[in-house]
Every structure is written in C-alpha cells, then in structure tokens.
Amino acid sequence: SLRARSPLPGPLSLVSAATGHSKTRQMPSLHLLPLLLALTIRPPSSPVHVYPARVLESYPHDADAFTQGLHLEEDGTLIESTGLYGESTVRRVDVESGRLLHCERLPGAWFGEGVTVQAGRCIQLLWREGLLLVRDARTLKLRDTVALPSGISEGWGITGDGAGSLFVSDGSDILHELDAHSFRVKRRIAVHAAGRPLPNLNELQWVRGEVWANLWHEDRLPVIEPRSGAVRCFVDLRGLLTAEERRSLGRTPALQQEAVLNGLAYDEPTGRLLVTGKLWPRLFAIATEALQKVEQKP
C-alpha cells in the first residue's frame, strides 16, 4: 500500500526493464567526425541556485494524516488530501489550530493523492486507480469521476493556474498540462535542472506564474518555469523537523520510511508558503527569497 523505493533512479519499480536488442552500428566517415563531436559535446550548464527558507510560524498537524496534497482556500481554511489504502480522505482543516472541520472518506480501494480547487470544483487525484475525482468545493461531496488521460501513468500531484490549465505530475520528470474543463492533455512539459531531467515530481503548487513542487524523498523544492520546464531555483527545506521528531514519525517502520516532506499551499495575501509532510505533527509557514525573485520578474 506504500510507494516502494526503486533500486534504480526513478519514481517506482512498476515496469520491468525492457529487453534490449543488440544493434550493429557502422562507424561514421572520418570527415563527419568533427561535426558529430560538435553536436555531442556541450558546454556544462550553470548550477541551479538554492535558496534557504525561514520558518515564520508552526501549527499543529494531524500526525496520522498521510498528506498527499494541500490547497489553501480564500477563507483561510486548508483542503487536504490524504493517502493510504483504507485510510484516504479529503478534508477541510483550520490552519492555526489543526482542527478537523469536515472529512470525506474514500473507498478502501482508492489511494488519495494531490488536490486543487479550480472554478468552484475540488479536483482530487488517485494514485493507481486512473481517476480524477471532481468534488463540490464547498461540501467536498463527490460529483463525478473522470478517467486520467492516456499517457499519465499515475496520479501524484495537481495544481492549476486559475486561467484554464491544470498541471499534473506522475512521479516522472514530466508535467502534464490539462484543460481544466475537459481534462484533455494540452501539452507535456519535460522538467530539467541544469540540463538534466528532474524525476520524482510529486505534490504541486502554482505560485505567481510558476510551478513549485515536492520531490519524492527529498527536502528541496524545485521552482519550475512552465513554458520551458526549466528549474529556476531550488528551496532548501532541510531541518524543519528535529531529529527526535523524525524518529517518532509513523506507526510502523514502513510508514516511518515514507514520512517525508510532502504538501504545499500558497497564501497569496501574505506571500507565505505552507508546507508539511506525510504523518508530520506540524505544518510550517515559511518565507524564502525565491518568492521575492518571482516578484522581480518582468
């Protein structure tokens, strides 16, 4: 019921490696070698800048919530999607007290993932069930189920730009941009940092024209330019929990291993980010200069 770490780079060991067929290649003519070398040898890309974060506030958070997605409402309440088979929910939470205001449980065979609210609809992803759940944004009651478009292997994270597009991650280095009304794929965005693909994209949050993301099992947030897929910078979130707090996470060793940073929400009026993790006892409001750099963009 948990995502298992792959022994090889990549989000999951879900598909066995394809058997390769050996191919005989002919050596290129000598007069073509300079051209081939010019095409294959590229100058190294500049490293991506890493910004620190500053904790502004710390709030109580349900330590039994396997947090998969967050969305901050205009009234200041938090919509949270939680995972695990038999335990998945979508809920409304008071930020400052951590008090549960309302909760809708998912069927036992569904594993909740990312969540967002767009045009009066709460849209929740499922992990391996191939579905988007369309809910009433006020009551969180289920209104419709929609099949994930072809090419999206799993549901991990989701956010929207408020202008007709959704962005969905599936644990790979690809962001899938969907039409927010028809859920059809508009384009696929290959995310890269310093010229290298950036896999394990998880929870997503639209922030001032950019997509911020969690990376599965990492304590840094990539800030992604949606047009090009380039990572503008990273935000370092190491050290939010103490070593003692980390040791106490999870009810079992398997859950403890998966009690990682996950969950992003943006508080636009204050410019704060809200972050937490799976089974974490606290929700953090943070500030970072990475947000100030967004404000300075033309």
Side-chain angles (χ1 to χ4, degrees), residues 139-168:
T139 66
L140 302 183
K141 295 293 184 183
L142 184 62
R143 296 299 183 219
D144 197 7
T145 59
V146 179
L148 273 180
S150 175
I152 304 179
S153 59
E154 297 178 351
W156 285 43
I158 187 169
T159 191
D161 63 3
S165 286
L166 298 172
F167 297 85
V168 173

Side-chain angles (χ1 to χ4, degrees), residues 73-134:
E73 291 279 72
E74 291 183 0
D75 64 3
T77 60
L78 196 66
I79 293 179
E80 180 174 12
S81 174
T82 71
L84 297 178
Y85 289 115
E87 300 183 31
S88 293
T89 68
V90 62
R91 54 181 68 182
R92 191 181 303 275
V93 178
D94 178 74
V95 171
E96 293 192 0
S97 67
R99 183 166 60 93
L100 183 64
L101 303 176
H102 182 73
C103 181
E104 294 288 326
R105 296 193 174 276
L106 277 63
W110 286 1
F111 192 118
E113 285 283 346
V115 69
T116 190
V117 174
Q118 299 289 313
R121 299 182 302 171
C122 173
I123 303 168
Q124 184 181 22
L125 283 175
L126 299 181
W127 178 25
R128 289 178 166 175
E129 290 66 58
L131 293 175
L132 287 160
L133 307 184
V134 181

Side-chain angles (χ1 to χ4, degrees), residues 8-127:
L8 298 175
L12 287 170
S13 296
L14 295 178
V15 182
S16 60
T19 303
H21 297 283
S22 61
K23 295 181 179 179
T24 302
R25 295 183 178 180
Q26 295 182 348
M27 289 296 294
S29 301
L30 291 178
H31 69 275
L32 291 178
L33 284 176
L35 175 61
L36 291 174
L37 288 172
L39 291 173
T40 56
I41 299 176
R42 300 176 183 176
S45 300
S46 301
V48 178
H49 189 78
V50 179
Y51 289 97
R54 179 166 53 94
V55 175
L56 302 175
E57 298 285 349
S58 172
Y59 305 112
H61 180 254
D62 182 0
D64 289 322
F66 198 78
T67 304
Q68 299 288 59
L70 299 177
H71 178 87
L72 189 65
E73 291 279 72
E74 291 183 0
D75 64 3
T77 60
L78 196 66
I79 293 179
E80 180 174 12
S81 174
T82 71
L84 297 178
Y85 289 115
E87 300 183 31
S88 293
T89 68
V90 62
R91 54 181 68 182
R92 191 181 303 275
V93 178
D94 178 74
V95 171
E96 293 192 0
S97 67
R99 183 166 60 93
L100 183 64
L101 303 176
H102 182 73
C103 181
E104 294 288 326
R105 296 193 174 276
L106 277 63
W110 286 1
F111 192 118
E113 285 283 346
V115 69
T116 190
V117 174
Q118 299 289 313
R121 299 182 302 171
C122 173
I123 303 168
Q124 184 181 22
L125 283 175
L126 299 181
W127 178 25

Side-chain angles (χ1 to χ4, degrees), residues 1-15 66 127-128 154 156 171 199-200 202 215-220 246 253-261 278:
S1 62
L2 298 179
R3 292 181 185 149
R5 265 195 177 279
S6 170
L8 298 175
L12 287 170
S13 296
L14 295 178
V15 182
F66 198 78
W127 178 25
R128 289 178 166 175
E154 297 178 351
W156 285 43
N200 296 333
N202 200 358
L215 294 174
W216 187 52
H217 278 267
E218 293 196 36
D219 287 334
R220 57 176 182 162
R246 283 195 174 271
L255 284 174
Q256 187 174 49
Q257 184 181 4
E258 291 300 321
V260 295
L261 181 74
K278 304 172 184 180

Side-chain angles (χ1 to χ4, degrees), residues 11 43 54-55 89 127 155 160 198 210 234 283 289:
R54 179 166 53 94
V55 175
T89 68
W127 178 25
L198 186 68
E210 296 178 314
F234 288 101
L283 173 81
E289 289 185 12

